Amino acid sequence: MIKTVATTPFNDQKMGTAGLRRKSKIVTQPNYIENFVQSIFNVMGDLSDKTLLLGGDGRFYNDIAIQKILKIAAANGLKKMVVAQNGFISTPAGSVVIRKYKLSGGFTLSASHNPGGPDGDFGLKYSNESGGQVSTSVTSQIEKAALSLTEYKILEAPDVDISHLGSFKLGDMEIEVIDGIKDYVAMMQNIFDFAALKKLAASGFTMRFDAMNAVTGPYAKEIFEKLIGFKEGSVVNFVPKPDFGGLHPDPNLVYAKELVDFMFSAQAADFGAANDGDGDRNMILGKGFFVTPNDSLAIITDNFKLIPYYAKGIYGVAKSAATSTAVERVAKAHGIGYYEVPTGWKYFVNLMDSQRITFCGEESFGTGSSHIREKDGIWAVLFWLSIIAATGKTVEQIAVEHWQKYGRSYYIRFDFEGVDTAVADRLMADLENKLPSLAGRSFGDLTIREAKPFVYHDPVDGSVTKNGLVIYFADGSRITYRLSGTGSSGATIRVYLERLQMKDILQNPLDMVTPLGRIALEIAEIPERTGKHQADVVT
Ligand code: VG1
Ligand code: CO
């Protein structure tokens, strides 16, 4: 029944910031997913004592890839695969399951916030027993294995039915189909005070959660409507669709337009939120008010005492280097540890495992805690609702009072998309060479204090990672440049702009960072080199 198939390597099976992401057209080529999964198994070694989790965000090719992976796993001697019912599990829920049942790791099939469908993207995130994605040393071993792959093993068998809960065998491999929602919901009930949340909903407070036709719809229905009691219809776009109904499931001001328009209209709910394709990102809105992920992390940290699970005390906090310094000021005020890591959630895992941090976040709409090892969209929404339930304040009041206390980091990200890869690489290399000469240069009232690459020394495993170039100004402003590691074609240059104001806290963010934006474009010669005089996406 086990077939060994001769194959030739694909030279692009390199995982980026979070797993492997490619155009669906690439992934659906014969042998593509087979090669990649076989390469992972080759690096994993002996599988006879391992149990893995398998599921995905339900996007196009999820069902087909799951059947292929099951048959390749069985042929490679995996002891057991735990499969999410119908193949649906969010990234955070997958992390819950891996940790709760002490699995050896797992696969979440997702290209996260990237669009799906035959013309969209597909992807695979690979986690280890921590419930977090594997480190770059493991991903480079897999890349190497993929480049020299000559064959893969696959079981010749009919497709298995994963629509019912229960256990059965595929060849010698055990399969257990589990409910992908239940354990996640139980974890949320363990963290937050649901009685207080029920009271909030019963008081007439209204919310709208936009699942963006992606994986969190069923989770949100269960948690916000059924358990907490927000009225039916509070959760919208809740049926996961293979192409996300044509939406770009990225919860930000640009792509979650339907929700943003609603929350800035006369009919707005008291609270609005959205999640991304695989449920690890979140956007928080009040009535006519947007909370940046940077501020969200700072506000969550500042309010830890309001949540039962954290009330006894927290370890430190961490943010990705590109994220604003808002949380740094909160960490200082509370006297807790503070860390800056490269972009990508995997860099937080060691800090959580070693009890250095409890909360962490990224500017890219990712917030989370050590309850799992992935960022967690619904968790962040529940945290905000809990702050509101405990304080009786509006989202806007909570944010404005926070700025009054800690100052405000005005923050905007510019993305220049679809840049020729060679042009982008050259731009970054030339900019890096130029950095030392920038110190002391002034642009109007902005003076550069220092400019250097961001280099991270992991305090736990000693690994060193270089990611992004940072320009620090004397007044606390910063410009950070990075190339995206989640795209599926061409290069995206990300330019992160932060301007700190201790007193002047009610200005328009875009106005406040525009002078920095001009400097950023000039220094890196972005218009000259890319032909772009404006960013494609501003968030
Ligand atoms: C982007 C974000 C990063 C995030 C990553 C994965 O990476 O900037 O902060 O961790 O996506 O997000 P990049 O390399 O394109 O900037 V996702 O929601 O996997 O799940
Ligand atoms: Co995601």
Side-chain angles (χ1 to χ4, degrees):
M1 269 168 59
I2 294 176
K3 203 165 83 174
T4 301
V5 182
T7 188
T8 46
F10 293 91
N11 61 11
D12 66 344
Q13 299 196 321
K14 178 183 168 60
M15 287 189 243
T17 312
L20 182 78
R21 276 174 221 200
R22 293 289 174 262
K23 290 266 167 243
S24 298
K25 294 230 157 54
I26 304 248
V27 180
T28 52
Q29 293 173 88
N31 293 349
Y32 194 91
I33 207 84
E34 289 87 342
N35 271 25
F36 185 59
V37 172
Q38 182 67 56
S39 305
I40 294 179
F41 285 146
N42 288 354
V43 169
M44 267 193 211
D46 182 15
L47 300 175
S48 63
D49 60 347
K50 292 195 168 69
T51 300
L52 298 172
L53 171 69
L54 179 59
D57 64 7
R59 70 178 63 218
F60 171 78
Y61 208 55
N62 194 53
D63 47 354
I64 295 171
I66 284 181
Q67 295 295 337
K68 286 181 190 277
I69 294 170
L70 285 173
K71 290 169 195 174
I72 297 166
N76 278 276
L78 182 71
K79 178 170 175 243
K80 179 174 171 181
M81 190 74 91
V82 173
V83 186
Q85 190 175 16
N86 294 317
F88 283 79
I89 198 154
S90 74
T91 291
S95 189
V96 169
V97 169
I98 291 172
R99 294 172 67 78
K100 181 166 177 179
Y101 300 105
K102 303 198 166 25
L103 308 188
S104 319
F107 305 119
T108 313
L109 305 177
S110 173
S112 190
H113 55 286
N114 298 20
D119 298 318
D121 289 357
F122 189 77
L124 185 152
K125 293 178 174 179
Y126 167 38
S127 304
N128 62 21
E129 72 285 350
S130 77
Q133 290 170 56
V134 295
S135 66
T136 41
S137 76
V138 175
T139 62
S140 44
Q141 284 175 48
I142 293 166
E143 187 194 355
K144 246 190 170 165
L147 283 172
S148 58
L149 195 77
T150 55
E151 58 181 43
Y152 64 82
K153 287 197 197 118
I154 190 160
L155 198 73
E156 287 202 298
D159 283 357
V160 297
D161 179 5
I162 54 167
S163 65
H164 303 285
L165 303 182
S167 298
F168 51 91
K169 282 205 147 183
L170 175 64
D172 290 331
M173 181 176 80
E174 233 180 290
I175 291 184
E176 183 184 354
V177 179
I178 59 149
D179 180 335
I181 299 175
K182 200 181 77 196
D183 295 306
Y184 180 81
V185 172
M187 166 71 95
M188 293 304 113
Q189 286 174 308
N190 181 36
I191 296 176
F192 299 102
D193 179 354
F194 270 56
L197 294 170
K198 270 189 196 164
K199 254 194 217 153
L200 178 69
S203 74
F205 183 91
T206 56
M207 85 172 288
R208 176 173 287 196
F209 180 92
D210 192 336
M212 302 191 86
N213 300 322
V215 77
T216 49
Y219 295 83
K221 273 269 177 201
E222 175 74 16
I223 291 173
F224 300 120
E225 292 185 7
K226 220 172 125 202
L227 293 173
I228 299 179
F230 285 108
K231 69 168 194 298
E232 218 184 307
S234 299
V235 178
V236 299
N237 294 322
F238 57 84
V239 180
K241 296 184 183 152
D243 66 347
F244 307 116
L247 287 184
H248 188 152
D250 195 352
N252 61 37
L253 294 174
V254 177
Y255 296 121
K257 191 173 180 311
E258 189 186 318
L259 176 72
V260 174
D261 287 349
F262 172 72
M263 288 303 295
F264 282 78
S265 75
Q267 291 77 40
D270 296 312
F271 180 82
N275 274 190
D276 75 334
D278 62 333
D280 54 356
R281 296 184 178 206
N282 74 90
M283 175 169 66
I284 302 293
L285 298 164
K287 241 184 202 153
F289 193 85
F290 163 64
V291 183
T292 71
N294 306 281
D295 288 335
S296 180
L297 173 63
I299 291 167
I300 280 175
T301 304
D302 200 33
N303 285 289
F304 74 89
K305 284 202 178 117
L306 302 179
I307 311 297
Y309 190 81
Y310 308 104
K312 285 202 200 83
I314 54 172
Y315 301 114
V317 288
K319 69 168 190 76
S320 66
T323 300
S324 95
T325 51
V327 75
E328 181 178 6
R329 298 190 289 281
V330 177
K332 244 188 216 142
H334 287 272
I336 56 176
Y338 167 74
Y339 300 83
E340 252 194 347
V341 307
T343 293
W345 210 260
K346 57 189 175 223
Y347 296 103
F348 294 127
V349 170
N350 280 345
L351 298 176
M352 293 195 260
D353 285 346
S354 61
Q355 305 192 324
R356 283 174 166 81
I357 62 164
T358 299
F359 297 129
C360 47
E362 298 186 287
E363 53 67 44
S364 56
F365 296 80
T367 329
S369 94
S370 53
H371 66 291
I372 52 173
R373 297 294 181 270
E374 292 279 4
K375 51 191 183 269
D376 190 342
I378 287 181
W379 173 90
V381 176
L382 287 168
F383 207 119
W384 267 91
L385 287 171
S386 302
I387 297 175
I388 293 165
T391 61
K393 292 178 182 162
T394 66
V395 173
E396 181 166 358
Q397 276 174 319
I398 293 167
V400 171
E401 286 175 19
H402 184 86
W403 296 331
Q404 284 165 345
K405 195 161 149 199
Y406 291 106
R408 178 173 182 186
S409 289
Y410 290 95
Y411 189 93
I412 299 270
R413 186 177 98 189
F414 288 172
D415 289 334
F416 298 86
E417 297 182 336
V419 178
D420 180 81
T421 311
V423 170
D425 287 342
R426 170 71 60 80
L427 182 150
M428 291 295 284
D430 289 349
L431 179 59
E432 181 168 352
N433 286 333
K434 198 174 181 181
L435 292 180
S437 69
L438 293 176
R441 255 182 87 179
S442 289
F443 300 81
D445 55 358
L446 286 159
T447 302
I448 297 176
R449 176 168 59 77
E450 195 184 8
K452 58 182 184 189
F454 174 74
V455 182
Y456 180 60
H457 297 263
D458 188 305
V460 178
D461 65 20
S463 62
V464 179
T465 308
K466 202 168 103 183
N467 190 297
L469 307 174
V470 195
I471 299 178
Y472 302 88
F473 291 84
D475 72 343
S477 297
R478 293 189 313 156
I479 300 170
T480 305
Y481 301 86
R482 271 185 72 244
L483 294 185
S484 159
T486 58
S488 58
S489 60
T492 294
I493 303 170
R494 301 204 197 283
V495 181
Y496 309 82
L497 308 168
E498 172 178 1
R499 189 152 172 215
L500 172 62
Q501 293 289 319
M502 295 311 289
K503 295 251 148 40
D504 194 9
I505 57 166
L506 296 176
Q507 300 299 325
N508 175 307
L510 193 54
D511 293 345
M512 290 302 278
V513 304
T514 292
L516 281 175
R518 264 191 232 112
I519 299 169
L521 265 66
E522 183 187 326
I523 290 178
E525 300 166 11
I526 290 175
E528 295 84 336
R529 290 169 181 251
T530 68
K532 290 173 186 279
H533 293 265
Q534 258 179 330
D536 298 284
V537 179
V538 176
T539 49

